[in-house]
Amino acid sequence: MNAPRRVAPEAPSRRGWCPSLARPMPTGDGLLARVHPPLGRLTPAQARAVASGARGFGNGHVDVTARANLQIRGVTEATRCGLAEALAAVGLGDVRHDGGPQRLTLTTPLAGLEPAGPVDVPALARRIEALGLAIPGLPPKALVAVEAATQGITLGTAEADLHGVVTRDGLALHLAGDAAWWRLPDDDAETVVAAALHLLAASGQRRMRDVPDVARAEIPARFALSRIPAPAAASVLSPGVLALPTPIGPERGFPLPEGERQGEVCGLSGAIAHRTPPLSFQEREAPRSSPPRADGPVALLVDAPFGRCTADALDSLAETADAVGAADLRLSPTRGFLLVCPDAAAAEIARETLAAAGFLTRADDPRGAVAACPGAPACASGSTPTLLDAARLAEVFRPFAAQGLRAHVSGCLKGCAHPGAADLTLVGREGQYDVVLSGRPDALPAMRLPFEAALERVRKADSAHSLAQIFPEHPPGPRPS
Protein backbone atom coordinates (compact mmCIF):
# COMPACT_ATOMS: atom_id res chain seq x y z
CA MET A 1 0.00 0.00 0.00
CA ASN A 2 1.34 3.43 -0.92
CA ALA A 3 1.81 5.91 1.91
CA PRO A 4 -0.21 9.14 1.78
CA ARG A 5 1.65 11.89 -0.02
CA ARG A 6 1.53 15.64 -0.22
CA VAL A 7 1.32 17.56 -3.48
CA ALA A 8 4.29 19.82 -4.18
CA PRO A 9 3.19 23.34 -5.10
CA GLU A 10 4.39 24.85 -8.33
CA ALA A 11 7.58 26.83 -7.86
CA PRO A 12 9.23 29.50 -10.00
CA SER A 13 12.07 27.08 -10.76
CA ARG A 14 9.79 24.27 -11.87
CA ARG A 15 10.09 24.75 -15.60
CA GLY A 16 9.09 21.39 -17.04
CA TRP A 17 12.23 20.76 -19.05
CA CYS A 18 15.64 19.27 -18.52
CA PRO A 19 18.32 21.98 -18.68
CA SER A 20 21.07 21.87 -21.26
CA LEU A 21 23.75 24.26 -22.44
CA ALA A 22 21.44 25.89 -24.98
CA ARG A 23 18.50 25.96 -22.54
CA PRO A 24 19.79 26.59 -19.02
CA MET A 25 17.22 26.60 -16.23
CA PRO A 26 16.59 29.54 -13.86
CA THR A 27 17.43 28.75 -10.23
CA GLY A 28 18.04 30.73 -7.08
CA ASP A 29 21.71 31.39 -7.91
CA GLY A 30 21.30 32.20 -11.59
CA LEU A 31 21.01 29.87 -14.55
CA LEU A 32 21.84 26.17 -14.27
CA ALA A 33 23.50 24.67 -17.37
CA ARG A 34 23.72 20.90 -17.64
CA VAL A 35 26.61 19.15 -19.38
CA HIS A 36 25.98 15.65 -20.77
CA PRO A 37 29.34 13.88 -21.31
CA PRO A 38 28.99 11.11 -23.92
CA LEU A 39 28.56 7.79 -22.08
CA GLY A 40 29.42 9.64 -18.87
CA ARG A 41 33.10 9.90 -19.80
CA LEU A 42 35.40 12.93 -19.61
CA THR A 43 39.01 13.24 -20.66
CA PRO A 44 41.16 15.22 -18.21
CA ALA A 45 41.25 18.03 -20.79
CA GLN A 46 37.45 18.10 -20.92
CA ALA A 47 37.26 18.14 -17.12
CA ARG A 48 39.54 21.17 -17.11
CA ALA A 49 37.30 22.84 -19.70
CA VAL A 50 34.25 22.28 -17.46
CA ALA A 51 36.15 23.69 -14.48
CA SER A 52 37.23 26.70 -16.50
CA GLY A 53 33.68 27.21 -17.74
CA ALA A 54 32.28 27.02 -14.21
CA ARG A 55 34.86 29.53 -13.02
CA GLY A 56 34.66 31.94 -15.94
CA PHE A 57 30.97 31.76 -16.89
CA GLY A 58 29.33 30.57 -13.64
CA ASN A 59 29.87 30.88 -9.90
CA GLY A 60 32.47 28.12 -9.66
CA HIS A 61 30.11 25.44 -8.34
CA VAL A 62 29.61 22.16 -10.20
CA ASP A 63 26.95 19.56 -9.39
CA VAL A 64 27.35 15.85 -10.17
CA THR A 65 23.94 14.32 -10.86
CA ALA A 66 22.51 10.87 -10.22
CA ARG A 67 22.39 10.37 -14.00
CA ALA A 68 26.15 10.93 -14.19
CA ASN A 69 25.93 14.39 -15.74
CA LEU A 70 27.41 17.71 -14.62
CA GLN A 71 25.68 21.00 -13.83
CA ILE A 72 27.35 24.40 -13.87
CA ARG A 73 25.64 26.86 -11.55
CA GLY A 74 25.48 30.64 -11.47
CA VAL A 75 25.46 31.15 -15.24
CA THR A 76 23.93 34.42 -16.45
CA GLU A 77 22.22 35.59 -19.61
CA ALA A 78 25.43 37.41 -20.47
CA THR A 79 27.65 34.33 -20.06
CA ARG A 80 25.47 31.44 -21.22
CA CYS A 81 26.49 31.62 -24.90
CA GLY A 82 30.18 31.80 -24.07
CA LEU A 83 29.88 28.72 -21.87
CA ALA A 84 28.06 26.75 -24.57
CA GLU A 85 30.65 27.68 -27.17
CA ALA A 86 33.60 26.82 -24.91
CA LEU A 87 32.26 23.36 -24.08
CA ALA A 88 31.14 22.61 -27.63
CA ALA A 89 34.73 23.27 -28.71
CA VAL A 90 35.92 20.33 -26.57
CA GLY A 91 33.19 17.88 -27.61
CA LEU A 92 30.73 18.54 -24.78
CA GLY A 93 28.08 20.51 -26.64
CA ASP A 94 24.39 19.71 -26.91
CA VAL A 95 23.58 16.94 -29.40
CA ARG A 96 19.92 17.75 -30.09
CA HIS A 97 17.77 20.86 -30.17
CA ASP A 98 14.24 19.48 -30.26
CA GLY A 99 13.72 19.27 -26.52
CA GLY A 100 14.58 15.57 -26.42
CA PRO A 101 17.13 13.93 -24.11
CA GLN A 102 20.68 15.21 -24.56
CA ARG A 103 21.92 11.89 -23.23
CA LEU A 104 19.61 8.90 -23.43
CA THR A 105 21.63 6.12 -21.80
CA LEU A 106 23.02 5.46 -18.35
CA THR A 107 25.77 2.90 -17.71
CA THR A 108 27.90 2.11 -14.68
CA PRO A 109 31.41 3.61 -14.50
CA LEU A 110 32.83 0.09 -14.72
CA ALA A 111 31.12 -0.55 -18.07
CA GLY A 112 33.75 -2.04 -20.35
CA LEU A 113 36.13 -2.89 -17.52
CA GLU A 114 34.49 -6.24 -16.85
CA PRO A 115 35.68 -9.51 -18.42
CA ALA A 116 34.53 -9.99 -22.00
CA GLY A 117 30.92 -11.14 -22.38
CA PRO A 118 28.23 -11.65 -25.04
CA VAL A 119 27.42 -7.93 -25.50
CA ASP A 120 29.69 -4.88 -25.62
CA VAL A 121 27.92 -2.56 -23.17
CA PRO A 122 29.56 0.75 -24.20
CA ALA A 123 29.05 -0.10 -27.89
CA LEU A 124 25.40 -1.00 -27.25
CA ALA A 125 24.88 2.27 -25.38
CA ARG A 126 26.36 4.20 -28.32
CA ARG A 127 23.99 2.48 -30.73
CA ILE A 128 21.00 3.24 -28.51
CA GLU A 129 22.08 6.88 -28.37
CA ALA A 130 22.11 6.94 -32.18
CA LEU A 131 18.65 5.34 -32.26
CA GLY A 132 17.31 7.98 -29.90
CA LEU A 133 18.66 10.87 -31.95
CA ALA A 134 16.65 9.61 -34.93
CA ILE A 135 13.35 9.54 -32.97
CA PRO A 136 11.61 12.93 -32.76
CA GLY A 137 9.36 13.63 -29.84
CA LEU A 138 11.23 11.68 -27.17
CA PRO A 139 10.51 13.29 -23.79
CA PRO A 140 13.47 15.09 -22.22
CA LYS A 141 13.70 12.75 -19.22
CA ALA A 142 13.69 9.55 -21.30
CA LEU A 143 16.31 7.14 -20.01
CA VAL A 144 17.65 3.74 -21.06
CA ALA A 145 19.83 2.03 -18.45
CA VAL A 146 22.31 -0.51 -19.80
CA GLU A 147 24.54 -2.68 -17.63
CA ALA A 148 26.33 -5.98 -17.51
CA ALA A 149 25.17 -7.81 -14.42
CA THR A 150 25.81 -11.52 -14.32
CA GLN A 151 25.85 -11.32 -10.51
CA GLY A 152 22.99 -8.83 -10.19
CA ILE A 153 21.70 -5.44 -11.29
CA THR A 154 22.52 -2.04 -9.82
CA LEU A 155 20.66 0.47 -12.00
CA GLY A 156 17.25 -0.83 -10.99
CA THR A 157 16.33 2.29 -9.02
CA ALA A 158 17.42 4.74 -11.73
CA GLU A 159 13.78 5.11 -12.79
CA ALA A 160 14.82 4.20 -16.33
CA ASP A 161 12.13 3.90 -18.98
CA LEU A 162 13.96 0.89 -20.43
CA HIS A 163 16.47 -1.21 -18.52
CA GLY A 164 18.72 -3.52 -20.49
CA VAL A 165 20.80 -6.07 -18.59
CA VAL A 166 23.48 -8.30 -20.06
CA THR A 167 23.55 -11.71 -18.39
CA ARG A 168 25.39 -14.92 -19.22
CA ASP A 169 22.30 -15.95 -21.18
CA GLY A 170 22.04 -12.80 -23.28
CA LEU A 171 20.20 -9.49 -23.05
CA ALA A 172 17.15 -8.94 -20.83
CA LEU A 173 14.79 -5.94 -20.98
CA HIS A 174 12.44 -4.29 -18.52
CA LEU A 175 9.87 -1.63 -19.45
CA ALA A 176 8.98 0.78 -16.64
CA GLY A 177 5.44 0.40 -15.37
CA ASP A 178 5.46 -3.39 -15.61
CA ALA A 179 7.08 -5.95 -13.34
CA ALA A 180 7.95 -8.29 -16.20
CA TRP A 181 11.41 -8.93 -17.65
CA TRP A 182 11.80 -10.12 -21.24
CA ARG A 183 14.52 -12.01 -23.10
CA LEU A 184 15.60 -10.07 -26.19
CA PRO A 185 16.59 -11.85 -29.40
CA ASP A 186 20.36 -11.78 -29.86
CA ASP A 187 20.13 -10.58 -33.45
CA ASP A 188 17.29 -8.06 -33.10
CA ALA A 189 17.62 -6.42 -29.69
CA GLU A 190 18.03 -2.91 -31.08
CA THR A 191 14.84 -3.24 -33.12
CA VAL A 192 12.89 -3.96 -29.93
CA VAL A 193 14.51 -1.03 -28.13
CA ALA A 194 13.74 1.28 -31.06
CA ALA A 195 10.11 0.15 -31.09
CA ALA A 196 9.77 0.85 -27.37
CA LEU A 197 11.28 4.32 -27.78
CA HIS A 198 8.94 5.07 -30.69
CA LEU A 199 6.01 3.98 -28.50
CA LEU A 200 7.12 6.36 -25.74
CA ALA A 201 7.56 9.25 -28.18
CA ALA A 202 4.17 8.69 -29.80
CA SER A 203 2.33 8.30 -26.49
CA GLY A 204 2.74 11.91 -25.46
CA GLN A 205 3.66 10.74 -21.94
CA ARG A 206 6.74 11.94 -20.08
CA ARG A 207 7.80 8.47 -18.89
CA MET A 208 7.25 4.87 -19.98
CA ARG A 209 5.54 4.08 -16.67
CA ASP A 210 2.78 6.53 -17.66
CA VAL A 211 2.07 4.80 -20.98
CA PRO A 212 -1.20 2.80 -20.79
CA ASP A 213 -0.63 -0.86 -19.94
CA VAL A 214 -2.38 -2.03 -23.10
CA ALA A 215 -0.08 0.04 -25.32
CA ARG A 216 3.06 -1.02 -23.45
CA ALA A 217 2.08 -4.68 -23.74
CA GLU A 218 2.19 -4.39 -27.53
CA ILE A 219 6.01 -4.45 -27.48
CA PRO A 220 6.55 -7.97 -26.07
CA ALA A 221 3.54 -9.24 -28.02
CA ARG A 222 4.72 -7.86 -31.36
CA PHE A 223 8.16 -9.44 -31.04
CA ALA A 224 6.99 -12.63 -29.26
CA LEU A 225 9.36 -12.01 -26.36
CA SER A 226 9.75 -14.66 -23.68
CA ARG A 227 9.18 -13.67 -20.09
CA ILE A 228 12.07 -14.46 -17.73
CA PRO A 229 12.72 -14.10 -13.99
CA ALA A 230 13.90 -10.68 -12.85
CA PRO A 231 17.69 -10.44 -12.39
CA ALA A 232 18.79 -10.27 -8.78
CA ALA A 233 19.96 -7.00 -7.26
CA ALA A 234 23.58 -6.58 -6.21
CA SER A 235 25.54 -4.78 -3.53
CA VAL A 236 26.59 -1.30 -4.43
CA LEU A 237 29.75 0.57 -5.22
CA SER A 238 31.41 2.57 -2.45
CA PRO A 239 34.19 5.15 -2.54
CA GLY A 240 37.70 3.81 -2.25
CA VAL A 241 40.27 1.70 -4.05
CA LEU A 242 38.56 -1.18 -5.82
CA ALA A 243 40.02 -4.33 -7.28
CA LEU A 244 39.23 -4.88 -10.94
CA PRO A 245 37.89 -8.35 -11.81
CA THR A 246 40.79 -9.38 -14.05
CA PRO A 247 44.06 -7.99 -15.38
CA ILE A 248 43.07 -5.58 -18.13
CA GLY A 249 44.64 -4.22 -21.27
CA PRO A 250 43.46 -2.50 -24.44
CA GLU A 251 41.41 -5.56 -25.45
CA ARG A 252 40.07 -6.28 -21.94
CA GLY A 253 38.97 -2.95 -20.61
CA PHE A 254 42.01 -0.72 -20.05
CA PRO A 255 41.13 2.82 -21.17
CA LEU A 256 42.32 3.65 -24.66
CA PRO A 257 44.86 6.45 -25.16
CA GLU A 258 43.38 9.92 -24.92
CA GLY A 259 41.82 10.96 -28.19
CA GLU A 260 40.68 7.45 -29.13
CA ARG A 261 36.92 7.67 -28.54
CA GLN A 262 37.41 9.35 -25.14
CA GLY A 263 38.72 6.23 -23.44
CA GLU A 264 35.85 3.92 -24.34
CA VAL A 265 36.77 0.30 -23.90
CA CYS A 266 36.21 -3.10 -25.40
CA GLY A 267 35.85 -5.41 -22.41
CA LEU A 268 32.27 -6.39 -21.49
CA SER A 269 29.94 -8.19 -19.11
CA GLY A 270 30.68 -11.36 -17.18
CA ALA A 271 31.28 -11.49 -13.41
CA ILE A 272 31.30 -8.01 -11.88
CA ALA A 273 33.08 -7.41 -8.60
CA HIS A 274 31.73 -3.89 -8.00
CA ARG A 275 28.74 -2.07 -9.36
CA THR A 276 27.35 1.43 -9.32
CA PRO A 277 23.78 2.21 -8.26
CA PRO A 278 21.66 5.04 -9.52
CA LEU A 279 21.10 6.29 -6.02
CA SER A 280 21.35 9.97 -5.33
CA PHE A 281 23.21 9.12 -2.14
CA GLN A 282 25.52 6.25 -1.45
CA GLU A 283 24.77 3.09 0.45
CA ARG A 284 28.06 2.29 2.06
CA GLU A 285 28.54 -1.46 1.94
CA ALA A 286 31.97 -3.03 1.87
CA PRO A 287 33.07 -4.00 -1.64
CA ARG A 288 32.45 -7.66 -2.39
CA SER A 289 35.65 -8.34 -4.30
CA SER A 290 39.16 -9.24 -3.28
CA PRO A 291 41.62 -6.56 -2.07
CA PRO A 292 43.28 -4.44 -4.77
CA ARG A 293 46.24 -6.12 -6.45
CA ALA A 294 49.58 -4.45 -5.96
CA ASP A 295 50.83 -5.45 -9.40
CA GLY A 296 47.96 -4.50 -11.70
CA PRO A 297 45.45 -1.76 -12.50
CA VAL A 298 42.84 -0.87 -9.90
CA ALA A 299 39.90 1.51 -9.85
CA LEU A 300 39.51 4.49 -7.55
CA LEU A 301 36.04 5.85 -6.91
CA VAL A 302 35.58 9.24 -5.28
CA ASP A 303 32.24 10.96 -4.70
CA ALA A 304 31.40 14.65 -4.47
CA PRO A 305 29.87 15.39 -1.04
CA PHE A 306 26.13 15.80 -1.55
CA GLY A 307 26.80 15.89 -5.30
CA ARG A 308 28.59 19.25 -5.15
CA CYS A 309 32.19 20.12 -6.00
CA THR A 310 34.04 23.24 -7.03
CA ALA A 311 35.90 24.17 -10.18
CA ASP A 312 39.16 23.89 -8.23
CA ALA A 313 38.26 20.37 -7.08
CA LEU A 314 37.49 19.37 -10.67
CA ASP A 315 40.88 20.75 -11.75
CA SER A 316 42.51 18.67 -9.02
CA LEU A 317 40.68 15.60 -10.30
CA ALA A 318 41.96 16.21 -13.83
CA GLU A 319 45.51 16.71 -12.58
CA THR A 320 45.29 13.49 -10.59
CA ALA A 321 44.01 11.58 -13.61
CA ASP A 322 46.96 12.82 -15.65
CA ALA A 323 49.38 11.92 -12.87
CA VAL A 324 48.21 8.29 -12.75
CA GLY A 325 47.87 7.98 -16.52
CA ALA A 326 44.07 7.61 -16.54
CA ALA A 327 42.74 8.29 -20.03
CA ASP A 328 39.32 9.30 -18.77
CA LEU A 329 37.20 10.18 -15.77
CA ARG A 330 34.07 8.03 -15.54
CA LEU A 331 31.11 9.74 -13.94
CA SER A 332 29.21 7.58 -11.47
CA PRO A 333 25.52 7.60 -10.51
CA THR A 334 26.80 7.78 -6.94
CA ARG A 335 27.54 11.43 -7.83
CA GLY A 336 31.23 10.90 -8.23
CA PHE A 337 34.06 9.86 -10.52
CA LEU A 338 35.97 6.66 -11.16
CA LEU A 339 39.46 6.53 -12.63
CA VAL A 340 41.69 3.57 -13.42
CA CYS A 341 45.11 3.68 -11.76
CA PRO A 342 48.12 1.57 -12.80
CA ASP A 343 48.44 -0.07 -9.37
CA ALA A 344 47.28 0.10 -5.76
CA ALA A 345 50.16 2.34 -4.67
CA ALA A 346 49.29 4.97 -7.27
CA ALA A 347 45.63 4.73 -6.29
CA GLU A 348 46.43 5.39 -2.63
CA ILE A 349 48.42 8.50 -3.55
CA ALA A 350 45.56 9.67 -5.73
CA ARG A 351 43.08 9.01 -2.95
CA GLU A 352 45.04 11.19 -0.51
CA THR A 353 45.22 14.00 -3.06
CA LEU A 354 41.51 13.90 -3.81
CA ALA A 355 40.54 13.64 -0.15
CA ALA A 356 42.44 16.89 0.41
CA ALA A 357 40.45 18.39 -2.48
CA GLY A 358 37.22 17.59 -0.62
CA PHE A 359 36.03 14.36 -2.24
CA LEU A 360 34.64 11.37 -0.35
CA THR A 361 37.27 8.66 -0.74
CA ARG A 362 36.31 6.07 1.90
CA ALA A 363 33.20 3.98 2.39
CA ASP A 364 32.81 4.92 6.06
CA ASP A 365 32.60 8.69 5.45
CA PRO A 366 29.26 9.59 7.10
CA ARG A 367 28.54 12.22 4.43
CA GLY A 368 27.95 9.35 2.06
CA ALA A 369 24.92 8.29 4.08
CA VAL A 370 23.18 11.64 3.69
CA ALA A 371 21.63 13.00 0.49
CA ALA A 372 21.07 16.72 0.02
CA CYS A 373 19.99 19.10 -2.70
CA PRO A 374 21.49 22.61 -3.09
CA GLY A 375 18.69 24.23 -1.08
CA ALA A 376 18.60 27.93 -0.27
CA PRO A 377 19.85 30.25 -1.57
CA ALA A 378 20.91 28.26 -4.67
CA CYS A 379 17.40 26.92 -5.35
CA ALA A 380 14.36 29.17 -5.50
CA SER A 381 12.19 26.32 -4.16
CA GLY A 382 14.20 25.97 -0.95
CA SER A 383 13.90 27.89 2.32
CA THR A 384 16.70 26.15 4.25
CA PRO A 385 20.50 25.88 3.73
CA THR A 386 20.38 22.14 3.04
CA LEU A 387 24.05 21.62 2.17
CA LEU A 388 25.27 23.19 5.41
CA ASP A 389 22.62 21.37 7.42
CA ALA A 390 23.39 18.03 5.76
CA ALA A 391 27.09 18.32 6.61
CA ARG A 392 26.24 18.91 10.27
CA LEU A 393 23.66 16.12 10.31
CA ALA A 394 26.14 13.67 8.81
CA GLU A 395 28.47 13.93 11.78
CA VAL A 396 25.82 13.19 14.40
CA PHE A 397 24.18 10.59 12.16
CA ARG A 398 27.42 8.56 12.01
CA PRO A 399 26.30 5.82 14.47
CA PHE A 400 23.11 5.28 12.48
CA ALA A 401 25.00 5.31 9.18
CA ALA A 402 27.27 2.58 10.54
CA GLN A 403 24.15 0.42 10.91
CA GLY A 404 23.17 1.03 7.29
CA LEU A 405 20.60 3.78 7.88
CA ARG A 406 20.31 6.66 5.41
CA ALA A 407 19.19 10.26 5.75
CA HIS A 408 18.06 12.93 3.30
CA VAL A 409 17.93 16.70 3.72
CA SER A 410 15.60 18.07 1.05
CA GLY A 411 14.84 21.70 0.34
CA CYS A 412 11.26 20.95 -0.67
CA LEU A 413 8.77 18.16 -1.36
CA LYS A 414 10.21 17.39 -4.80
CA GLY A 415 13.22 15.60 -3.31
CA CYS A 416 15.49 16.25 -6.30
CA ALA A 417 18.55 14.76 -4.59
CA HIS A 418 16.77 11.51 -3.72
CA PRO A 419 13.10 11.10 -4.69
CA GLY A 420 12.89 7.73 -2.94
CA ALA A 421 12.46 6.83 0.69
CA ALA A 422 15.13 7.30 3.37
CA ASP A 423 15.19 6.26 7.01
CA LEU A 424 15.17 9.92 8.06
CA THR A 425 14.14 12.72 5.72
CA LEU A 426 14.14 16.39 6.69
CA VAL A 427 12.02 18.42 4.26
CA GLY A 428 12.54 22.18 4.31
CA ARG A 429 9.42 24.28 4.76
CA GLU A 430 9.23 27.93 5.79
CA GLY A 431 12.72 27.86 7.30
CA GLN A 432 12.13 24.71 9.38
CA TYR A 433 12.06 20.99 8.58
CA ASP A 434 9.21 18.52 8.32
CA VAL A 435 10.45 15.18 9.68
CA VAL A 436 9.57 12.10 7.59
CA LEU A 437 10.43 8.63 8.89
CA SER A 438 11.03 5.77 6.42
CA GLY A 439 9.38 7.66 3.61
CA ARG A 440 9.76 9.88 0.57
CA PRO A 441 10.05 13.65 0.87
CA ASP A 442 6.41 14.03 -0.17
CA ALA A 443 5.14 11.65 2.53
CA LEU A 444 3.14 13.01 5.47
CA PRO A 445 5.59 14.20 8.17
CA ALA A 446 5.71 13.14 11.80
CA MET A 447 6.39 16.69 13.00
CA ARG A 448 7.99 19.99 12.09
CA LEU A 449 11.10 21.23 13.90
CA PRO A 450 13.78 23.89 13.60
CA PHE A 451 16.99 22.30 12.34
CA GLU A 452 18.82 22.78 15.63
CA ALA A 453 16.08 20.89 17.48
CA ALA A 454 16.16 18.00 15.00
CA LEU A 455 19.96 17.89 15.14
CA GLU A 456 19.95 17.82 18.92
CA ARG A 457 17.55 14.88 18.98
CA VAL A 458 19.81 12.86 16.69
CA ARG A 459 22.92 13.88 18.65
CA LYS A 460 21.49 12.71 21.95
CA ALA A 461 19.91 9.57 20.57
CA ASP A 462 20.98 6.04 21.31
CA SER A 463 21.60 4.43 17.93
CA ALA A 464 20.37 1.15 19.38
CA HIS A 465 16.88 2.66 19.40
CA SER A 466 14.76 3.28 16.34
CA LEU A 467 14.39 6.71 14.81
CA ALA A 468 10.69 6.52 15.59
CA GLN A 469 11.57 6.81 19.29
CA ILE A 470 13.63 9.89 18.58
CA PHE A 471 10.87 11.53 16.58
CA PRO A 472 7.57 10.25 18.02
CA GLU A 473 4.63 11.03 15.79
CA HIS A 474 2.29 13.89 16.55
CA PRO A 475 0.32 16.25 14.31
CA PRO A 476 2.68 18.31 12.14
CA GLY A 477 2.32 21.97 11.28
CA PRO A 478 -0.03 23.32 8.64
CA ARG A 479 -0.22 21.20 5.50
CA PRO A 480 0.61 22.65 2.12
CA SER A 481 -2.52 23.81 0.37
Side-chain angles (χ1 to χ4, degrees), residues 106-108 119 121 124 128 143-149 153-156 160-167 170-175 181-182 184 189 193 231:
L106 176 68
T107 60
T108 75
V119 178
V121 172
L124 177 59
I128 292 174
L143 181 66
V144 180
V146 186
E147 61 179 315
I153 61 175
T154 62
L155 298 179
D161 298 289
L162 284 71
H163 187 182
V165 177
V166 178
T167 70
L171 190 61
L173 179 68
H174 174 255
L175 302 177
W181 282 82
W182 308 95
L184 293 186
V193 171

Side-chain angles (χ1 to χ4, degrees), residues 69 120 190 437 453 473 476 478:
N69 294 312
D120 182 323
E190 291 164 44
L437 302 177
E473 292 189 1

Side-chain angles (χ1 to χ4, degrees), residues 6 52 163 173 219 236 250 262 308 364 388-389 414 437 451 476:
R6 300 177 287 175
S52 177
H163 187 182
L173 179 68
I219 299 299
V236 302
Q262 300 186 28
R308 171 67 67 88
D364 60 357
L388 295 176
D389 291 345
K414 292 183 289 183
L437 302 177
F451 177 71

Side-chain angles (χ1 to χ4, degrees), residues 338-350:
L338 182 142
L339 52 94
V340 176
C341 301
D343 52 47
E348 285 295 345
I349 294 173

Side-chain angles (χ1 to χ4, degrees), residues 315-328:
D315 272 334
S316 178
L317 190 65
E319 293 171 6
T320 303
D322 278 340
V324 300
D328 60 10

Side-chain angles (χ1 to χ4, degrees), residues 13 25-32 59 61-63 71-75 308 373-388 411:
S13 59
M25 183 176 71
T27 61
D29 58 353
L31 299 176
L32 182 151
N59 61 14
H61 289 296
V62 180
D63 295 334
Q71 297 179 160
I72 296 176
R73 306 193 69 93
V75 181
R308 171 67 67 88
C373 62
C379 178
S381 297
S383 64
T384 56
T386 53
L387 293 177
L388 295 176

